[in-house]
Amino acid sequence: MKKFNIRKVLDGLTASSSSASPQPGNRENDTIQENLQSEHFQLCKTVRHGFPYQPSAMAFDPVQKILAIGTQSGALRLFGRAGVECYCQHESGSAVIQLQFLINEGALVSALADDSIHLWNLRQKLPAVLHSLKFNRERITFLHLPFQSKWLYVGTERGNIHIVNVESFTLSGYVIMWNKAIELSSKTHPGPVVHISDNPMDEGKLLIGFECGIVVLWDLRTKKADYRYNYDEAIHSVAWHHEGKQFVCSHSDGTLTIWNIRTPAKPAQIITPHGKQPKDGKKPEPCKPILKVEYKTTRAGDPFMVLSGGLSYDTVGRRACLTVMHGKSTAVLEMDYPIVDFLTLCETPYPNDFQEPYAVVILLEKDLVVIDLAQIGYPIFENPYPLTLHESPVTCCEYFADCPAELIPAFYSVGSRQKRQGYSKKEWPVSGGNWGQGTQSYPEIIITGHADGSIKFWDASAIMLQVLYKLKTAKVFEKARSKEDKPSTDIVDEDPFAIQMLSWCPESRMLCVAGVSAHVIIYRFSKQEVTTEVVQLLEVRMPYELNDVDSPEAAGEQTPAVSTPGASSSPQTALPPVQTHPSTSSNSSDGPRDNVPCLKVRCSPLKQSPGYQVDLVVQLLWVSGEPPQQITSLALNSAYGLVVFGNSNGLAVVDYFQKTLLMNVGVQELHGSADPFQRQPRSPRKARQPSGGGGLCDANDGSNAAEDRCKSPTSGSASPCNSDEENKHQNFIDKSTVLCLTLNTFFPFQWARLGSSSHEMCHGVLFCFVPPISPVKSKSRRFSKTVANDFAKMSRKLSTIPDQKQDSAAERIHRRRSVPHKKRVCCIKSTAEASRSPAKSPIFRNLSAPEFYAKDSSFSRSRSSSVTSLEREAREVISSFHFSETMGRKGEAVAGPSLWVGTSQGNMLVLPLTVPPSSDLRMQQAPAVSFGGAVTRLKGGVLTMATLDSVGAPLLPPYEVWYDPNLPDEREEKDRWKRRRPATPPGGQEGAAETHYIVLCSEKQAEVLVLPSQNSVFKHNITEASFVLRADVVQMPAGSCIACFCANGHIMALSLPSLRPLLDVNYLPLTDMRIARTFCFSNLGQALYLTSPTEIQRMTYSQETCDNLQEMLCELFTPVETPEAPNRGFFKGLFGGGAQSLDREDLFGEVAAGKASRSLAQHIPGPGGMEGMKGAASGVVGELARTRMALDERGQKLGELEERTAAMMASADSFSKHAHDMMLKYKDKKWYQL
């Protein structure tokens, strides 16, 4: 009786679509034990790096030395010393308009655009909101929190000021109404409150600035205005002198007004910093508004006045500036981006003391700059944060965890030489917080590619981020000296050097980069500087192939030729390279571009600094006026010395040791059963031949030689075969492309009988007229020739064509199909000669239009079509590669090198490799690439592949050990080229002839095949309604798995090799293409993506990392003593000239002021309140607090014990002394003398 296996039944129910029935080879998996379980996975965010996207507000704690930045999306970023960063988010997502620290209290108040204020607790590693207050009837415009006060002033758009108790977050009944503040000084409403501050020397006097230009000095005790100051121009900001006798206002006309508080009639001084002073004493010309001004004093010199804006209107196009006025000198500092806000950092937090400014923090739209005020020339501080991530837009990203330990020091040594000079010699002034005490110490490296062609290597260890090294790939190419010389790639309109993808081998340090201009650059790492006289260049032709042909719809109209999705089910042999002659037509003097790369490689000697140095440049060429297709997949293997890349035309294999092209094959040729090398090589194509009096096409009597090309005449050139009948249709021929069909290859295709009225026969050559194919141009920033989009438009045009009559041969749709292993011959002598051989005669078959387009669109979907939401894909594209040392051929017993190829139609193919066994032979002989045929087919485009050994452990591809190519001693070592295989994992048997497994993951499915039988043992449908954007086979501490990110936001993990679902979390829906382009998984449960154009979000799906996250995170708050208040001095204390304090509790408390209206604002307890504190207390933070308490108690008890011990020791000494005295007293006496 057959045993019932309940485990397999449960696994089948858990996996939504695992293989329903045991497939051949399933018995081989019974011995594999999988250690990964669902409890090993948990998803959570770890840390966010980069510059805050769209910043809107900033605050600084001068005691804790912590900087806070708010954004327009409601995010908060807090920065301390290098490596101390924190990110938190307001739930509403409204813009942050202002931030206020509770100085040295570990708390922060934020005001949002939705008229709510929030109190954040910064004393825990993950800051949380303690209280929230939502205003219902008034809009918040300004906040002010005096130093060491618990009462927060809130200014509103109506001109009123409310007071909030920050401890309880309740409103006080004390309200300053706008009409009482201005009384009869203005006949109109003064506008919103733009400034609130108390007098540095008298806390009972409040300075209120209204937008219209009115400033009121309000007495909090008497509840009335002492003075009112009027100015004609609107106010943007106000700043006090520390003595409290003067204040300065910045206005919308670019002026600064300095007022004495006791002379409100007119300002004491009016300054126009950037205005031209007229000689006749008239008012200076108005300037741009001064948005903010700060007034800071020093003990030993003139005060500093720092302001933003105020430039003259005639400075058109001038960048944003910060002006520093110190005494008689005025320094104008230009910024790269508009200024959002700035703060002057001072030595003291007390406003009534000399400020002693030492730095200015400037928040720009895309940068953070800190200026040193203490040094001549105002140099900037070197920024320790990874805020240069967006220096150029990020176009691709890769994440490598658990790298070789020597990589980070190597990158740091070469990257330290790239640092700029001229920074301030002082330490970074924002120095608060402490690093986390994480237990994870493995090296992590993030590589980012950018739009300007640069590549940055980042140290991402211990959830920090620090730039290590920057590589500029654009140095390889010629620079454009003017707009006319700017490279015209016809692929991208700007950023022609942008990085599209990269492949990196950490062990050998080999780097391969693919750019958007269809170029590939291979780099080697060296610690020595070298000058390269000539950059090695390899040019590759990958011809454009037209899969389907259409006849003219009617006289004078053409129907676009379309490659339909149905063509993917019938593989075709790619067309041979097309050699075209220059057109002699008058309307195209230069002819189509051919044999021309998109970029010009540098001809002059190239000085290469230590680091990555170019080894080989590979460029795809234009073919018959068609720009090269962009590269869609890339892979490198340092042990074999091979680089392979592919696009929608095919794939190419390059030997970078010998700088040769090993293979250049079309996509459809890969599906053939014969070896592609049986045909004539396709690249490089011969040079264009000059035009002459030759015929329209060369006659070569059915020869398979390389000279047989398909001619595409576009003009009526002189030809002996031209006739009067041809001249009648010359205009039609001029606007058409001639496609020559093969008559010596046995293949079925749809064909319309040719007549003299619509098709012509010349020298027995069969022509079919189709519309011309012109280079596709677009105004897209990144991609201007997306094949799927172009063909989708053509398909929509074809779908509008009405049904044609069956007897109209000229209006039928033509389709050709060919046997894959036969080569197509373009020209023959005559149709009569072709008809003599019945075996080579074509079979003609008519297909209806619906059958022509029939295809199950749900079966296959490429990455590009999925991302752009196209229902079906026009052409099959190479989507992924995988080098492996396994059994490449079916039934093969010995493992060997092989290249696995995946396509966008889900096809999986293998190319076995033959690599010379020794380094000497390898430098003399090139590897051989053979054709292994198709292996399987999945739903959706293939995204990733991996190989497992017999115990299910990852079988990583071999690699070359790194050596410095510029050191002769290392280069001459013969055994360094020797391929090194990773150590066999525990449980594996070295050298045993066992089975391997190949893991495949597509946009829809995951499948595991057993090798060498190539039988499917496990299969799982990942998603039905969505599609996978990124998939990687990753190693976890307990095993390996497939990690997937779907377009619907789900993150999944599947076990290997059984493909059991281990994790499925709805994390982040695809709202931006940036996420799809940059999302990547890494080993040990790490992942990241670009959450905004300037920020990287790191996350983990490992339970172990989530458990240790609290210890790994940094601490923002550290116990620091508040500086002592300034000494009032004897005479100031005697005559009352010092600062006067105010008991605000007596004024604003409930007893004196009463309760505020409940409808004015709503109090909302935050999740970081008592419940949050209880939760934190139960975690690691609570444990640490209890441990510290226990240590304090233990220390106290030890102190008491020490005191007791000292008392006992003193008592013992006293006893010993008395005993000694007694002994001396009675030492010499007899017993009878006692």
Side-chain angles (χ1 to χ4, degrees):
M1 182 178 178
K2 188 176 180 180
K3 293 184 178 180
F4 181 78
N5 194 334
I6 187 65
R7 181 178 61 85
K8 291 187 177 180
V9 173
L10 292 177
D11 288 346
L13 292 175
T14 306
S16 61
S17 182
S18 295
S19 50
S21 59
Q23 304 196 22
N26 271 351
R27 63 180 183 275
E28 300 172 9
N29 299 301
D30 294 340
T31 59
I32 297 179
Q33 181 179 0
E34 297 180 359
N35 297 322
L36 271 181
Q37 303 297 330
S38 298
E39 52 266 22
H40 292 128
F41 293 87
Q42 183 180 346
L43 196 66
C44 66
K45 296 180 180 179
T46 54
V47 68
R48 181 172 293 195
H49 301 295
F51 182 78
Y53 183 57
Q54 294 180 339
S56 56
M58 179 174 59
F60 181 73
D61 189 328
V63 179
Q64 288 289 322
K65 307 288 186 183
I66 295 293
L67 181 70
I69 297 177
T71 70
Q72 295 182 16
S73 60
L76 281 180
R77 296 286 302 277
L78 296 112
F79 297 92
R81 65 178 62 185
V84 175
E85 297 181 46
C86 184
Y87 162 79
C88 42
Q89 175 72 42
H90 291 91
E91 290 184 0
S92 65
S94 298
V96 179
I97 60 175
Q98 195 175 352
L99 297 172
Q100 283 280 326
F101 271 103
L102 277 69
I103 296 176
N104 204 25
E105 295 292 335
L108 176 70
V109 176
S110 61
L112 305 188
D114 64 351
D115 308 314
S116 63
I117 55 177
H118 307 268
L119 178 65
W120 289 84
N121 178 22
L122 306 183
R123 290 176 177 259
Q124 55 194 60
K125 290 193 172 183
L126 289 175
V129 175
L130 293 174
H131 301 281
S132 297
L133 195 64
K134 180 72 168 62
F135 281 76
N136 299 323
R137 295 184 297 182
E138 297 193 53
R139 308 213 63 180
I140 299 173
T141 57
F142 196 84
L143 298 181
H144 172 62
L145 181 65
F147 179 48
Q148 293 181 331
S149 171
K150 67 176 184 179
W151 297 97
L152 174 71
Y153 300 101
V154 180
T156 66
E157 193 177 32
R158 292 186 179 180
N160 303 324
I161 295 178
H162 302 276
I163 302 172
V164 179
N165 187 326
V166 294
E167 292 181 351
S168 60
F169 243 55
T170 56
L171 276 172
S172 169
Y174 192 110
V175 181
I176 303 175
M177 306 300 291
W178 67 270
N179 53 354
K180 292 184 178 181
I182 65 169
E183 289 186 350
L184 301 178
S185 62
S186 175
K187 297 180 180 180
T188 59
H189 191 279
V193 175
V194 296
H195 177 81
I196 306 172
S197 62
D198 49 354
N199 190 315
M201 287 297 180
D202 189 355
E203 296 177 350
K205 301 297 177 65
L206 197 67
L207 195 68
I208 306 170
F210 295 94
E211 188 182 50
C212 68
I214 298 178
V215 179
V216 176
L217 186 63
W218 181 266
D219 192 330
L220 293 172
R221 299 181 183 90
T222 62
K223 299 182 181 180
K224 66 178 183 180
D226 285 349
Y227 300 102
R228 297 180 180 89
Y229 314 87
N230 290 293
Y231 194 71
D232 296 337
E233 298 295 333
I235 292 177
H236 286 277
S237 68
V238 182
W240 277 101
H241 188 279
H242 83 279
E243 293 180 348
K245 298 178 180 180
Q246 283 186 338
F247 62 89
V248 58
C249 301
S250 67
H251 298 275
S252 58
D253 62 345
T255 60
L256 297 174
T257 56
I258 299 177
W259 300 80
N260 294 323
I261 60 171
R262 298 187 182 275
T263 56
K266 65 176 182 178
Q269 189 178 1
I270 300 176
I271 304 173
T272 308
H274 299 284
K276 296 179 180 179
Q277 299 293 338
K279 296 181 180 180
D280 53 0
K282 293 183 179 180
K283 189 176 180 180
E285 296 180 0
C287 297
K288 297 178 182 178
I290 298 178
L291 301 178
K292 185 176 182 180
V293 63
E294 290 198 349
Y295 195 14
K296 305 298 179 182
T297 56
T298 60
R299 295 182 185 273
D302 296 321
F304 282 88
M305 196 174 291
V306 186
L307 55 101
S308 64
L311 296 179
S312 175
Y313 279 105
D314 58 4
T315 57
V316 179
R318 190 171 182 179
R319 293 183 293 182
C321 295
L322 184 84
T323 305
V324 180
M325 303 171 64
H326 183 218
K328 296 181 179 180
S329 67
T330 300
V332 180
L333 309 176
E334 284 194 354
M335 302 295 156
D336 293 333
Y337 306 101
I339 298 175
V340 177
D341 195 5
F342 73 88
L343 293 171
T344 306
L345 308 188
C346 302
E347 296 288 350
T348 177
Y350 294 94
N352 57 354
D353 194 9
F354 287 98
Q355 303 300 296
E356 300 294 341
Y358 60 90
V360 179
V361 181
I362 310 166
L363 179 63
L364 308 178
E365 281 189 357
K366 295 183 179 180
D367 201 0
L368 181 69
V369 179
V370 181
I371 295 173
D372 187 358
L373 291 179
Q375 293 189 27
I376 300 175
Y378 305 133
I380 65 173
F381 288 87
E382 185 178 4
N383 200 320
Y385 309 132
L387 302 183
T388 59
L389 182 70
H390 65 287
E391 189 176 18
S392 176
V394 178
T395 54
C396 70
C397 189
E398 293 295 336
Y399 190 9
F400 299 88
D402 200 14
C403 299
E406 66 274 5
L407 275 178
I408 292 179
F411 283 134
Y412 182 80
S413 64
V414 297
S416 59
R417 308 178 188 181
Q418 299 177 336
K419 291 186 177 180
R420 293 171 49 190
Q421 303 297 325
Y423 289 113
S424 173
K425 298 180 180 179
K426 295 183 179 180
E427 294 184 358
W428 181 252
V430 185
S431 56
N434 287 324
W435 296 324
Q437 304 296 325
T439 57
Q440 295 181 352
S441 59
Y442 49 84
E444 299 175 73
I445 290 180
I446 295 174
I447 306 178
T448 55
H450 299 265
D452 63 351
S454 62
I455 299 174
K456 292 183 181 179
F457 292 78
W458 305 82
D459 178 13
S461 306
I463 68 172
M464 297 184 184
L465 194 68
Q466 182 181 6
V467 65
L468 293 173
Y469 170 69
K470 180 179 179 180
L471 171 66
K472 297 180 180 178
T473 64
K475 288 184 177 180
V476 179
F477 303 101
E478 293 285 354
K479 293 183 179 179
R481 299 181 180 179
S482 62
K483 291 185 177 180
E484 290 75 11
D485 298 335
K486 190 175 181 179
S488 176
T489 65
D490 283 58
I491 297 183
V492 288
D493 292 327
E494 53 187 54
D495 298 330
F497 310 110
I499 306 299
Q500 190 168 2
M501 60 183 60
L502 55 89
S503 178
W504 184 51
C505 177
E507 291 79 11
S508 66
R509 306 184 190 177
M510 291 295 301
L511 175 66
C512 186
V513 178
V516 296
S517 297
H519 63 273
V520 176
I521 310 177
I522 303 167
Y523 288 93
R524 289 183 180 272
F525 187 85
S526 175
K527 295 182 178 180
Q528 308 297 319
E529 185 176 298
V530 66
T531 300
T532 304
E533 297 296 332
V534 179
V535 177
Q536 297 289 332
L537 174 63
L538 183 63
E539 296 181 339
V540 179
R541 292 175 61 93
M542 301 184 78
Y544 178 87
E545 180 185 4
L546 191 66
N547 291 337
D548 298 291
V549 184
D550 297 327
S551 64
E553 178 183 355
E557 295 182 0
Q558 289 84 30
T559 304
V562 181
S563 170
T564 64
S568 62
S569 61
S570 300
Q572 299 180 13
T573 303
L575 282 172
V578 181
Q579 181 178 356
T580 60
H581 295 275
S583 173
T584 57
S585 175
S586 60
N587 56 3
S588 61
S589 58
D590 297 333
R593 296 178 65 177
D594 195 25
N595 282 336
V596 179
C598 295
L599 300 175
K600 185 178 180 181
V601 176
R602 182 171 178 168
C603 300
S604 58
L606 177 63
K607 183 179 180 181
Q608 305 194 70
S609 303
Y612 274 106
Q613 299 171 354
V614 61
D615 187 60
L616 178 65
V617 178
V618 183
Q619 287 185 292
L620 299 186
L621 303 177
W622 283 65
V623 177
S624 302
E626 281 291 333
Q629 298 293 310
Q630 290 185 341
I631 295 170
T632 58
S633 53
L634 178 71
L636 173 145
N637 187 275
S638 59
Y640 307 148
L642 299 179
V643 167
V644 57
F645 57 89
N647 58 13
S648 59
N649 288 343
L651 66 86
V653 182
V654 174
D655 178 6
Y656 64 82
F657 281 170
Q658 300 186 13
K659 312 294 188 294
T660 57
L661 179 66
L662 300 182
M663 187 182 202
N664 180 14
V665 63
V667 176
Q668 304 302 334
E669 288 179 304
L670 290 173
H671 297 281
S673 59
D675 191 344
F677 294 102
Q678 299 298 328
R679 295 181 288 274
Q680 190 74 13
R682 297 173 51 190
S683 177
R685 184 191 292 183
K686 292 185 178 181
R688 185 192 299 254
Q689 297 179 1
S691 61
L696 185 64
C697 46
D698 298 334
N700 202 356
D701 197 16
S703 172
N704 288 341
E707 287 77 17
D708 293 335
R709 305 298 186 194
C710 175
K711 307 302 185 299
S712 300
T714 59
S715 64
S717 58
S719 175
C721 62
N722 287 345
S723 62
D724 294 337
E725 187 66 17
E726 289 176 348
N727 293 332
K728 294 179 182 179
H729 302 277
Q730 190 62 49
N731 293 333
F732 178 73
I733 297 176
D734 289 343
K735 298 178 182 179
S736 305
T737 300
V738 180
L739 181 65
C740 305
L741 302 180
T742 306
L743 295 183
N744 73 325
T745 305
F746 182 76
F747 61 96
F749 70 108
Q750 183 182 3
W751 179 79
R753 193 175 303 276
L754 303 180
S756 59
S757 61
S758 59
H759 296 74
E760 301 300 331
M761 192 71 66
C762 175
H763 277 275
V765 180
L766 182 64
F767 296 107
C768 178
F769 300 120
V770 297
I773 306 171
S774 60
V776 181
K777 298 182 180 180
S778 174
K779 297 300 180 183
S780 171
R781 175 182 176 87
R782 293 212 25 162
F783 303 103
S784 62
K785 183 155 185 175
T786 305
V787 178
N789 285 331
D790 296 339
F791 280 92
K793 294 176 182 178
M794 297 181 185
S795 300
R796 287 193 291 269
K797 291 181 180 180
L798 282 176
S799 62
T800 61
I801 300 175
D803 295 335
Q804 308 298 323
K805 296 181 180 180
Q806 295 295 327
D807 56 348
S808 178
E811 297 178 357
R812 292 180 183 174
I813 300 175
H814 307 298
R815 185 181 184 187
R816 60 193 176 108
R817 293 180 181 175
S818 61
V819 175
H821 64 277
K822 291 289 184 180
K823 181 180 180 181
R824 196 174 297 117
V825 180
C826 298
C827 303
I828 58 174
K829 282 275 186 174
S830 64
T831 55
E833 292 182 13
S835 63
R836 293 189 190 120
S837 176
K840 295 183 179 181
S841 299
I843 296 178
F844 301 153
R845 171 168 72 90
N846 289 333
L847 296 177
S848 62
E851 183 183 355
F852 181 78
Y853 295 106
K855 185 179 185 291
D856 182 11
S857 61
S858 64
F859 182 80
S860 175
R861 196 174 189 180
S862 72
R863 175 179 297 184
S864 61
S865 64
S866 300
V867 171
T868 55
S869 302
L870 293 180
E871 289 301 325
R872 52 188 179 183
E873 175 181 338
R875 306 180 67 185
E876 189 170 15
V877 180
I878 303 296
S879 59
S880 60
F881 294 112
H882 175 61
F883 284 101
S884 179
E885 196 143 317
T886 184
M887 288 71 77
R889 297 182 185 274
K890 194 170 185 178
E892 193 174 33
V894 181
S898 59
L899 172 63
W900 298 76
V901 182
T903 72
S904 60
Q905 304 253 340
N907 292 308
M908 184 68 197
L909 307 102
V910 61
L911 301 176
L913 308 174
T914 303
V915 182
S918 65
S919 59
D920 293 335
L921 292 175
R922 177 64 184 87
M923 302 310 295
Q924 297 173 5
Q925 299 178 7
V929 186
S930 56
F931 187 72
V935 177
T936 185
R937 187 172 185 181
L938 302 173
K939 291 183 180 179
V942 179
L943 300 180
T944 189
M945 296 165 277
T947 313
L948 308 179
D949 61 9
S950 58
V951 297
L955 192 63
L956 302 179
Y959 58 86
E960 179 189 31
V961 178
W962 176 78
Y963 67 93
D964 198 323
N966 296 325
L967 293 180
D969 296 339
E970 295 190 16
R971 187 170 49 190
E972 291 175 0
E973 290 187 27
K974 302 297 182 183
D975 57 347
R976 278 198 175 270
W977 178 85
K978 195 173 182 179
R979 289 171 292 164
R980 310 292 178 88
R981 290 188 71 170
T984 303
Q989 300 178 5
E990 184 70 26
E994 297 176 333
T995 57
H996 290 172
Y997 301 92
I998 184 76
V999 181
L1000 316 174
C1001 185
S1002 72
E1003 296 170 329
K1004 294 287 188 179
Q1005 292 178 325
E1007 187 175 11
V1008 176
L1009 307 178
V1010 64
L1011 302 178
S1013 64
Q1014 298 183 1
N1015 292 328
S1016 176
V1017 290
F1018 294 105
K1019 201 169 187 178
H1020 176 75
N1021 286 342
I1022 300 175
T1023 178
E1024 293 292 344
S1026 184
F1027 52 91
V1028 179
L1029 287 169
R1030 178 70 185 244
D1032 290 293
V1033 176
V1034 296
Q1035 297 185 44
M1036 301 287 287
S1040 57
C1041 65
I1042 301 178
C1044 305
F1045 172 59
C1046 298
N1048 58 6
H1050 284 251
I1051 293 181
M1052 306 178 183
L1054 304 175
S1055 68
L1056 289 177
S1058 65
L1059 301 180
R1060 289 182 297 108
L1062 301 174
L1063 176 71
D1064 189 352
V1065 178
N1066 189 0
Y1067 172 72
L1068 177 72
L1070 181 62
T1071 57
D1072 198 327
M1073 279 303 304
R1074 184 188 314 105
I1075 300 175
R1077 189 176 66 248
T1078 58
F1079 199 103
C1080 53
F1081 296 96
S1082 187
N1083 293 330
L1084 303 176
Q1086 305 297 328
L1088 64 82
Y1089 60 93
L1090 207 65
T1091 185
S1092 72
T1094 62
E1095 295 172 291
I1096 279 182
Q1097 177 66 57
R1098 293 171 65 180
M1099 51 179 290
T1100 181
Y1101 48 96
S1102 168
Q1103 178 68 50
E1104 180 182 356
T1105 305
C1106 291
D1107 294 339
N1108 299 328
L1109 184 59
Q1110 281 287 343
E1111 297 180 7
M1112 297 168 62
L1113 293 175
C1114 60
E1115 292 183 358
L1116 292 171
F1117 179 80
T1118 55
V1120 179
E1121 291 186 5
T1122 303
E1124 294 184 2
N1127 188 6
R1128 296 176 60 185
F1130 174 75
F1131 292 103
K1132 288 185 177 181
L1134 181 63
F1135 297 104
Q1140 300 181 18
S1141 61
L1142 173 70
D1143 189 355
R1144 296 184 176 90
E1145 185 69 30
D1146 292 342
L1147 291 177
F1148 307 144
E1150 185 176 340
V1151 176
K1155 292 184 179 180
S1157 172
R1158 292 185 179 181
S1159 61
L1160 181 61
Q1162 178 185 3
H1163 177 257
I1164 305 172
M1170 200 48 116
E1171 295 78 7
M1173 295 301 292
K1174 289 179 180 178
S1178 63
V1180 180
V1181 177
E1183 292 294 334
L1184 289 175
R1186 285 193 288 270
T1187 304
R1188 288 173 182 169
M1189 241 177 175
L1191 288 174
D1192 292 339
E1193 294 175 1
R1194 185 170 181 267
Q1196 185 178 358
K1197 291 179 180 179
L1198 286 175
E1200 296 175 357
L1201 181 61
E1202 185 179 358
E1203 293 177 359
R1204 293 178 182 177
T1205 304
M1208 291 179 65
M1209 288 180 64
S1211 177
D1213 289 341
S1214 176
F1215 179 81
S1216 174
K1217 182 179 179 182
H1218 286 296
H1220 185 67
D1221 292 343
M1222 288 287 293
M1223 185 266 295
L1224 292 178
K1225 181 178 179 181
Y1226 296 104
K1227 179 180 179 182
D1228 297 331
K1229 291 186 177 182
K1230 301 296 183 179
W1231 61 273
Y1232 54 84
Q1233 295 178 338
L1234 297 175

